[in-house]
Amino acid sequence: MEIKLEQKDAADWIYRGEGAANLVLSYTGSSTVFIGKVMRIQKVASNSSSRCLVDHTVLTEHETLLWRELEELISSPTKESAELLYVQHVISPLLGPEHVDAGTHVLVSREFLESIEKKVICQRPAWRVDAAKIDTQRILNVGPCISVEIKPKCGFLPSSRFIAERNVIKRSTTRFRMHQVLKLHEREISELSQYDPLDIFSGSKERIHKAINDLYNTPQNNFRVFLNGSIIFGGLGGGTNKTSCVIEKAFEDALKGLIQADDGLRTRSFIELVAETVYSSRVLDRLLEVQKLDNFDIEGAIHAYYNIISQPCMVCSELDEARLQPRYASLHSIPLDESLKMVKDYLIAATAKDCSLMISFKPREDTDFWSPYSSIYLKSTNQNFDYKVNFIDLDLKPLNKMETYYEKDKKILNSYVQAAETKHMKGDTLVMEA
């Protein structure tokens, strides 16, 4: 039987967070259909008179060419259904269906969306509220559960031969660390994070533990914790400052009853639990493989993009004869199939670089003789936990975003290089002074 959410149902959904395109709600009601579920509601720019900023009806002509091997996807009547099929047929086989839930579409009334809009507006970050609103045109007690959301970002250093000599810093410093400098300059963050994605993807128990600890110390929008669906640590819709003593105390208290440790030790044990799960599950190994589908870096893939759209390459036109090396020019003589594969792999990798890892934990009782979930033993507290790992935010990246990726790459590099010229460098790491 088809379910449609009406205005009265809005009371059962609470604000959980948001990204640039979607608002995320979690369910607090009693319907077995929705217990443990979250809902993504599309947003629309506040200054837009249309339903959305981009075409959400069908794929573009060039996107249809790009995904031509997936007939069901390219014939999708809406962008939403195309994204669902993208997760099902492209991402799920790569990351493993046991870690990917493509989700389902739920019918909602306009009154439901309007009620949600009014209900959550005071909880949303002010800058998110100013930028976008809900697109109103689109229409059981299971025990304590704690979930951690990690946005690991890109876990490898590119080695593409198409990286220009002036951008050689890419080969030794992660994109995340360089982007931090730009974010600090633009005041999106108040200080640099010590987190390095290479740590969490390293396969080393010690480095993974360091990564989780660094994320905890400066969560920004890369680390959040939820207890029974309600956020207890991290930001709702943007970056947060370094974890203060007040926040530490509140988080420590929130863990009471879940982590069986003395006061002052629960947070340390929780970080150990998360790090041990990431290490033992090896779930990030497959994510890294998908990220590495980006063999050519944006500096190579951008040329293939212009081949696909049959337009003069704007990147080549910006280079003088001395800088236009034969390896760049050669990219414009490759067969169309090679260009399509290069760009398609880049966009799939972009999904993997931007997704989140959600790990949910539930204390395992002595009477739980069998469970469908994996389990982990926390030595410091002598506790067993059932856990489930899922990848979320697996969005289909638009083809026309290639130009945005290229321009953003230049902006990040320029900001980092300029900062390096005026600040001290320690090895390959920029050390910003107060």
Side-chain angles (χ1 to χ4, degrees):
M1 183 177 68
E2 193 172 66
I3 297 175
K4 183 175 183 179
L5 297 179
E6 303 290 350
Q7 183 175 14
K8 61 181 175 57
D9 299 309
D12 294 330
W13 295 89
I14 61 172
Y15 180 77
R16 180 165 174 172
E18 62 187 284
N22 296 285
L23 192 107
V24 181
L25 308 174
S26 62
Y27 185 68
T28 62
S30 58
S31 171
T32 55
V33 175
F34 296 115
I35 285 177
K37 304 293 185 182
V38 295
M39 179 187 295
R40 297 173 68 191
I41 297 180
Q42 194 170 77
K43 300 192 297 186
V44 63
S46 295
N47 60 358
S48 174
S49 58
S50 61
R51 292 175 62 207
C52 44
L53 289 177
V54 294
D55 182 9
H56 282 268
T57 55
V58 292
L59 298 183
T60 67
E61 177 185 354
H62 294 116
E63 286 172 334
T64 299
L65 181 64
L66 190 70
W67 302 106
R68 60 185 178 180
E69 296 175 359
L70 300 170
E71 184 177 346
E72 197 176 359
L73 189 154
I74 64 175
S75 60
S76 300
T78 66
K79 187 70 181 295
E80 290 85 358
S81 59
E83 290 189 343
L84 186 69
L85 291 164
Y86 169 73
V87 175
Q88 290 176 340
H89 298 299
V90 179
I91 298 299
S92 182
L94 291 170
L95 294 180
E98 69 274 21
H99 299 307
V100 175
D101 183 353
T104 57
H105 288 124
V106 177
L107 293 176
V108 298
S109 68
R110 180 170 182 171
E111 290 74 21
F112 171 85
L113 294 176
E114 289 173 343
S115 294
I116 291 293
E117 174 90 63
K118 294 174 183 177
K119 181 179 178 180
V120 306
I121 192 167
C122 62
Q123 298 172 273
R124 300 176 60 201
W127 68 277
R128 291 284 197 192
V129 175
D130 292 340
K133 59 185 179 181
I134 290 177
D135 187 351
T136 57
Q137 300 294 330
R138 296 179 183 269
I139 311 296
L140 177 65
N141 183 14
V142 293
C145 177
I146 190 165
S147 302
V148 57
E149 180 183 351
I150 302 169
K151 191 176 282 288
K153 307 306 288 187
C154 182
F156 72 98
L157 296 171
S159 58
S160 169
R161 66 188 182 93
F162 297 106
I163 295 175
E165 290 302 317
R166 65 184 180 279
N167 298 331
V168 69
I169 190 66
K170 282 185 181 182
R171 302 178 187 272
S172 59
T173 304
T174 61
R175 162 71 170 246
F176 177 85
R177 301 299 293 270
M178 290 190 287
H179 198 184
Q180 284 282 295
V181 175
L182 176 61
K183 287 184 174 182
L184 185 68
H185 176 72
E186 296 183 340
R187 299 186 177 181
E188 289 184 31
I189 57 176
S190 59
E191 59 185 291
L192 299 176
S193 170
Q194 294 305 304
Y195 169 69
D196 190 327
L198 297 184
D199 289 332
I200 202 169
F201 283 95
S202 67
S204 160
K205 185 181 293 188
E206 292 74 20
R207 290 182 66 184
I208 291 172
H209 189 280
K210 178 185 183 300
I212 302 302
N213 197 64
D214 289 337
L215 286 167
Y216 170 77
N217 288 331
T218 315
Q220 297 183 9
N221 67 336
N222 302 301
F223 189 81
R224 298 190 295 177
V225 183
F226 303 86
L227 180 59
N228 297 331
S230 298
I231 191 164
I232 58 172
F233 183 84
L236 284 171
T240 57
N241 297 325
K242 186 171 183 177
T243 302
S244 66
C245 294
V246 174
I247 293 174
E248 284 184 349
K249 177 64 166 59
F251 186 59
E252 179 80 11
D253 290 344
L255 294 175
K256 193 172 184 177
L258 193 82
I259 304 292
Q260 296 172 3
D262 294 336
D263 288 347
L265 299 177
R266 287 188 288 270
T267 298
R268 184 188 304 176
S269 294
F270 176 74
I271 291 173
E272 177 190 340
L273 174 65
V274 176
E276 184 65 32
T277 304
V278 171
Y279 171 75
S280 61
S281 69
R282 311 295 297 185
V283 69
L284 289 182
D285 292 354
R286 294 189 71 164
L287 183 66
L288 185 60
E289 289 179 13
V290 181
Q291 291 183 353
K292 287 184 175 180
L293 287 175
D294 172 18
N295 290 315
F296 301 94
D297 191 74
I298 188 61
E299 293 187 51
I302 190 65
H303 297 276
Y305 163 74
Y306 282 107
N307 292 345
I308 293 171
I309 64 174
S310 303
Q311 290 186 13
C313 180
M314 298 301 294
V315 177
C316 290
S317 68
E318 293 173 356
L319 302 174
D320 54 39
E321 288 297 325
R323 293 166 60 200
L324 184 57
Q325 299 179 28
R327 65 173 179 262
Y328 297 128
S330 66
L331 283 171
H332 295 291
S333 60
I334 62 176
L336 177 60
D337 282 351
E338 288 187 29
S339 293
L340 289 168
K341 185 179 188 310
M342 190 184 300
V343 172
K344 182 165 66 174
D345 285 349
Y346 182 88
L347 292 175
I348 293 172
T351 295
K353 293 175 187 178
D354 201 37
C355 74
S356 290
L357 178 70
M358 183 71 77
I359 311 176
S360 298
F361 299 96
K362 184 179 181 297
R364 193 167 192 186
E365 305 296 336
D366 294 336
T367 54
D368 294 339
F369 298 109
W370 179 87
S371 171
Y373 304 111
S374 302
S375 64
I376 191 85
Y377 174 67
L378 182 58
K379 184 177 180 180
S380 62
T381 65
N382 192 31
Q383 286 179 273
N384 285 292
F385 291 84
D386 286 335
Y387 74 88
K388 182 172 175 56
V389 179
N390 272 93
F391 292 105
I392 61 174
D393 298 334
L394 300 167
D395 298 326
L396 171 64
K397 304 300 182 182
L399 176 61
N400 62 11
K401 202 170 182 179
M402 291 293 292
E403 294 179 9
T404 303
Y405 286 137
Y406 181 76
E407 292 302 322
K408 188 63 172 286
D409 189 68
K410 286 200 303 182
K411 189 175 182 179
I412 289 172
L413 283 164
N414 290 339
S415 175
Y416 190 81
V417 171
Q418 289 173 13
E421 292 173 351
T422 56
K423 302 291 181 181
H424 298 296
M425 294 292 292
K426 183 179 180 181
D428 292 319
T429 303
L430 188 65
V431 180
M432 303 296 288
E433 298 177 335

